[in-house]
Amino acid sequence: MEEHVRICHFRNHYELTRKNLMVKNLKRYRKFLERESGRLEAAKCDFFPRTFELPSEYHLFVEEFKRTPGSTWIMKPVARSQGKGIFLFRKLKDIMDWKKDGTRSEEQRDETQVESYVAQRYIENPYLISGRKFDLRVYILVSSYIPLKAWLYRDGFARFSSTRFSLNSIDDQYVHLTNVAVQKTAPDYDPEKGCKWEIQKLRRYLTAKHGSETVESLFKEIDNIFVRSLQSVQKVIINDKHCFELYGYDILLDQDLKPWLIEVNASPSLTASSQEDYEMKCRLLEDTLHIVDMEGRLTGREKRVGGFDLMWNDGPVYRDDVNLETLGLSCFSANTHLGCINDREKQLRQLLKPFPGQKKT
Ligand code: ADP
């Protein structure tokens, strides 16, 4: 690639963005942490629901299934998106097609190969607002894997399902899948209202309900998910200075306000479902391109570019306003502002000087 070329993916991005590989990498990383730093550290990776790949891990899955009688599971094709091919189940007979049959030869098995799926514990107690389930879409930009340099976007949104949550109707995708692609086909979907809340509104709602301390600690836990998941693939992804990646993270909250990582998307939807959504996505793209910086306007030492805050730069990044003299190490505040005000224009005006010879407009 020529020096000036930039590509919006790392070559093997699927290590994080395919459902089975993401879990494989997280499990391996958790084992590594346990070996190197002990159980407490490894427990910081306990943010993804128990997951098995089918058919390859069918027997392991059945053991777990039997250990937790009556629980609900969700089946998801490993490489599809927008809720396609997903279903919930509580009985083994519903997934007979993925049964690993030891009596068949390799050849016979190839003939009847089924698409790879993951079977995952269904989060049965999602946090509800007005009785409805939702998940969060958050944007992370990785501008380098070695060293790891990751940016968190201030804006994002919560995607609500249109039908009240209940565990009685596990076949109703309008209750259980929060994908916009699914919800907008619901009979009572109102395109004017849509099914999204901007993340600032969600943060305000949660703060009013639970207090700022609880919400701060929830968002800290969400930051931990971003950093650990990226670290889990840091040594696997083929780094290249020409590449960058804008990830769309899907996070689900349960009733105990524990955040769960559902999946990471390599090409998050940039389709807008409302004017507000359109404007947010334009801001997001513009700021992504500011960080990619084809024009060479940045110094490389910036901690903030528009709506993006640098959250990891080969180590945690702290806010400037923290007085290092008076605070102990554990008091450092992370440089993340998910769901906070995005006053990007003012910041960009200060940051991006006009090109030489360019008139100020
Ligand atoms: P897709 O790539 O098809 O969007 P996801 O893994 O994002 O697949 O799942 C689609 C939706 O299903 C999620 O947005 C979420 O609402 C719901 N979902 C997925 N996994 C779980 C789970 N383990 N527990 C509860 N809900 C889930």
Side-chain angles (χ1 to χ4, degrees), residues 19 49 74 76 80-84 86 120-124 133-135 159 176-179 250 252 262-263 265:
K19 295 176 178 72
I74 186 167
K76 309 192 276 190
R80 284 201 257 173
S81 60
Q82 302 191 317
K84 290 187 196 115
I86 297 183
Q120 186 171 74
R121 267 303 285 275
Y122 187 67
I123 309 292
E124 294 179 357
K133 171 180 172 174
F134 62 91
D135 69 357
R159 310 179 293 186
H176 299 284
L177 308 189
T178 51
N179 306 73
D250 292 346
L252 190 86
I262 298 299
E263 78 157 339
N265 293 280

Side-chain angles (χ1 to χ4, degrees), residues 8-19:
C8 59
H9 292 294
F10 287 90
R11 214 188 295 178
N12 56 345
H13 66 76
Y14 47 80
E15 289 285 346
L16 184 61
T17 57
R18 213 163 276 167
K19 295 176 178 72

Side-chain angles (χ1 to χ4, degrees), residues 274-316:
S274 66
Q275 184 61 25
E276 197 181 72
D277 199 33
Y278 176 83
E279 284 164 15
M280 192 276 275
K281 282 166 178 160
C282 287
R283 295 196 291 269
L284 172 71
L285 277 182
E286 227 177 87
D287 291 347
T288 300
L289 292 174
H290 284 317
I291 290 183
V292 172
D293 192 29
M294 309 276 293
E295 303 87 353
R297 287 192 280 182
L298 303 182
T299 63
R301 292 186 300 275
E302 290 77 7
K303 277 172 136 182
R304 180 180 174 194
V305 177
F308 277 112
D309 297 293
L310 185 60
M311 70 177 316
W312 196 266
N313 187 14
D314 208 17

Side-chain angles (χ1 to χ4, degrees), residues 114-179:
V114 287
E115 186 181 354
S116 279
Y117 267 60
V118 290
Q120 186 171 74
R121 267 303 285 275
Y122 187 67
I123 309 292
E124 294 179 357
N125 61 337
Y127 190 97
L128 305 178
I129 295 181
S130 289
R132 282 153 182 83
K133 171 180 172 174
F134 62 91
D135 69 357
L136 309 181
R137 167 55 57 87
V138 184
Y139 299 97
I140 298 280
L141 176 67
V142 173
S143 48
S144 155
Y145 263 98
I146 298 177
L148 182 59
K149 199 164 180 185
W151 305 76
L152 170 62
Y153 207 62
R154 295 182 174 209
D155 298 338
F157 49 86
R159 310 179 293 186
F160 283 83
S161 64
S162 55
T163 313
R164 290 181 80 83
F165 185 78
S166 153
L167 279 172
N168 297 331
S169 47
I170 62 168
D171 294 329
D172 189 342
Q173 55 174 359
Y174 298 128
V175 174
H176 299 284
L177 308 189
T178 51
N179 306 73

Side-chain angles (χ1 to χ4, degrees), residues 28 115 192 223 240 248 307 320 322 324:
R28 197 195 39 221
E115 186 181 354
E192 290 286 305
D223 289 348
D240 190 317
D320 283 331
V322 178
L324 305 187

